[in-house]
Amino acid sequence: MDLTWSPEEEEFRQEARGWLAANVPGNPLPSGDTREGFAAHLEWERTLFEARWSVVSWPEAYGGRDASLWQWLVFEDEYHRAGAPARVTQNGIFLLAPTVFAFGTQEQQRRILPRMAAAEDLWAQGWSEPGAGSDLAAIRSRAVRDEGAGGWRLTGQKTWTTRGAFCTHLFGLFRTDPEAERHRGLTYFLVPLDAPGVTVRGFERLDGDEGFAEVFLDDVLVPDADVLGGVGEGWRVAMATTGSERGLTLRSPGRFLHTADRLLDLARTKGPGAHRDRVVQSWIEAQAYELFTLEQVTSIVEGRQIGAESSLNKLFWSQLDIALHETANDLLGPEAEVDGPWSRGFLFSLAGPIYAGTNEIQRNIVAERLLGLPRR
């Protein structure tokens, strides 16, 4: 593994750094999990797109820069270094898009990706259902073939849909063969949320933001053109999406490296020795996560598949995020109770071991698929 950046990558870094310095909003935007904040974030996302920074690794035809994976890592590093706003389009750009590149038809790629890059179509994830959270194979929402209409009629309920109340589209799994085994008979659908029969109901999180929604589908007609990856292939397609969600795509190292830098700055304000060992340990773990992801990018560039190793990423970043914020809380003392970046970051970090598949599920995957341990 070569840990040096090429002259071209350094040039790319300087271009990104200069643009971000000139364009990142001077004041923090309101939470992207409120209607007001979501609108403000969308304005920022469209500024990114107009300068072709919203999807740097995508082909130019879809709004990107044809940047390499290494350049994408450089951009992510600079993005977090600049303190730029969190991406409210992340479920589309970082989760669905890699799946569309891998399984979508050329017609789907041309139709879906440019509008996603431009933040014109906003995608929510439709995985969880009442009774089917971490156990994705337990979903019961169904799709019934309608030959006359040339499509499928979807019925069911999705819940814990992140920013679903503000999005225009949903991607998710539906059961097209109720007689099939748990992981079979599933199909991956793309659903416009303004289609007849769709009801979206936002609800508040513990912090009061309307960050989640329930989506009810009542005989919603979806054309064949919005099946992704083929009928009955849903589990295989969904595993590609979950690999992006658990792995490098959603949580680049820049996010944690710069949180660790903020932690060091905070520790310096508290005097010498304040929780020194924990601060240093958190900083080291952030550096280790970067090295771990660099090794993974090397593997991808050399043509190897990541597969179940994305579960290691998920365990690593979710636990690291909590450790960084718990250490900050202890440095802050009673101030940690005050609403601010650290307290909000801490609350969000607590969700890390739950979303993208609980850490208990990820440990099972690591045990069975990577370590070869027997299933009980």
Side-chain angles (χ1 to χ4, degrees):
M1 184 169 63
D2 183 357
L3 296 179
T4 61
W5 299 106
S6 70
E8 292 76 16
E9 288 155 355
E10 287 294 352
E11 182 180 355
F12 183 84
R13 179 186 297 279
Q14 293 307 316
E15 183 184 359
R17 181 176 295 183
W19 188 88
L20 289 164
N23 290 278
V24 168
N27 296 314
L29 301 182
S31 168
D33 295 321
T34 64
R35 289 184 182 276
E36 174 196 10
F38 192 82
H41 280 257
L42 276 188
E43 185 176 345
W44 163 248
E45 302 261 3
R46 288 164 181 161
T47 301
L48 278 175
F49 171 73
E50 288 167 5
R52 294 194 304 116
W53 290 112
S54 67
V55 288
V56 296
S57 61
W58 291 15
E60 290 185 15
Y62 299 148
R65 289 173 172 251
D66 276 323
S68 68
L69 276 177
W70 300 113
Q71 289 172 317
W72 173 76
L73 276 178
V74 166
F75 177 73
E76 286 287 302
D77 187 39
E78 291 299 320
Y79 192 89
H80 290 284
R81 176 183 178 277
R87 304 287 300 273
V88 295
T89 56
Q90 66 176 17
N91 281 351
I93 289 173
F94 296 145
L95 303 188
L96 176 59
T99 311
V100 173
F101 277 115
F103 294 95
T105 64
Q106 289 189 350
E107 184 278 327
Q108 287 175 325
Q109 292 175 5
R110 286 194 297 267
R111 173 165 53 93
I112 294 169
L113 295 173
R115 293 182 60 81
M116 184 190 296
E120 293 175 351
D121 290 343
L122 308 166
W123 291 86
Q125 187 183 57
W127 282 167
S128 296
E129 299 180 0
S134 292
D135 187 4
L136 183 59
I139 65 164
R140 291 186 295 179
S141 290
R142 66 184 187 278
V144 177
R145 182 70 186 156
D146 185 335
E147 291 289 354
W152 297 80
R153 293 194 176 276
L154 276 51
T155 300
Q157 178 184 351
K158 301 293 182 179
T159 191
W160 304 113
T161 305
T162 302
R163 301 190 186 102
F166 315 137
C167 289
T168 61
H169 290 71
L170 174 141
F171 59 91
L173 278 183
F174 292 80
R175 193 163 291 285
T176 44
D177 182 357
E179 304 302 321
E181 297 177 12
R182 279 164 39 90
H183 298 84
R184 302 179 186 276
L186 298 165
T187 300
Y188 198 114
F189 285 95
L190 308 173
V191 186
L193 291 176
D194 62 354
V198 175
T199 301
V200 180
R201 185 170 67 192
F203 60 89
E204 294 182 349
R205 305 182 309 196
L206 286 175
D207 62 6
D209 291 348
E210 190 183 358
F212 291 116
E214 293 176 301
V215 180
F216 301 89
L217 303 106
D218 183 9
D219 202 33
V220 177
L221 178 63
V222 174
D224 291 334
D226 285 334
V227 171
L228 184 61
V231 175
E233 296 295 322
W235 187 257
R236 185 168 67 96
V237 182
M239 289 303 98
T241 306
T242 59
S244 297
E245 186 178 19
R246 294 165 185 166
L248 174 64
T249 312
L250 185 64
R251 293 290 179 257
S252 67
R255 175 191 180 106
F256 305 104
L257 289 171
H258 295 291
T259 302
D261 287 343
R262 288 173 50 223
L263 183 65
L264 285 181
D265 291 340
L266 176 64
R268 292 188 183 102
T269 69
K270 301 299 179 183
H275 297 286
R276 180 180 60 186
D277 290 348
R278 291 176 58 198
V279 171
V280 171
Q281 183 65 33
S282 296
W283 186 86
I284 290 173
E285 288 177 1
Q287 308 303 311
Y289 181 68
E290 181 188 34
L291 294 174
F292 175 70
T293 56
L294 291 177
E295 190 275 337
Q296 281 201 329
V297 171
T298 300
S299 295
I300 294 170
V301 170
E302 292 177 351
R304 294 190 289 274
Q305 299 292 321
I306 296 301
E309 289 181 34
S310 63
S311 294
L312 288 175
N313 289 68
K314 204 271 173 168
L315 290 166
F316 202 151
W317 61 249
S318 60
Q319 294 171 174
L320 171 60
D321 206 21
I322 291 176
L324 287 164
H325 286 88
E326 284 184 338
T327 305
N329 282 353
D330 289 341
L331 285 166
L332 288 166
E335 295 176 56
E337 302 296 327
V338 178
D339 186 31
W342 282 116
S343 60
R344 285 187 169 258
F346 172 64
L347 289 176
F348 185 76
S349 75
L350 296 179
I354 300 172
Y355 67 83
T358 65
N359 281 11
E360 287 77 10
I361 294 292
Q362 305 315 308
R363 290 188 180 95
N364 282 343
I365 293 172
V366 170
E368 294 170 8
R369 301 185 192 174
L370 298 181
L371 301 178
L373 299 178
R375 179 180 294 187
R376 290 184 64 185

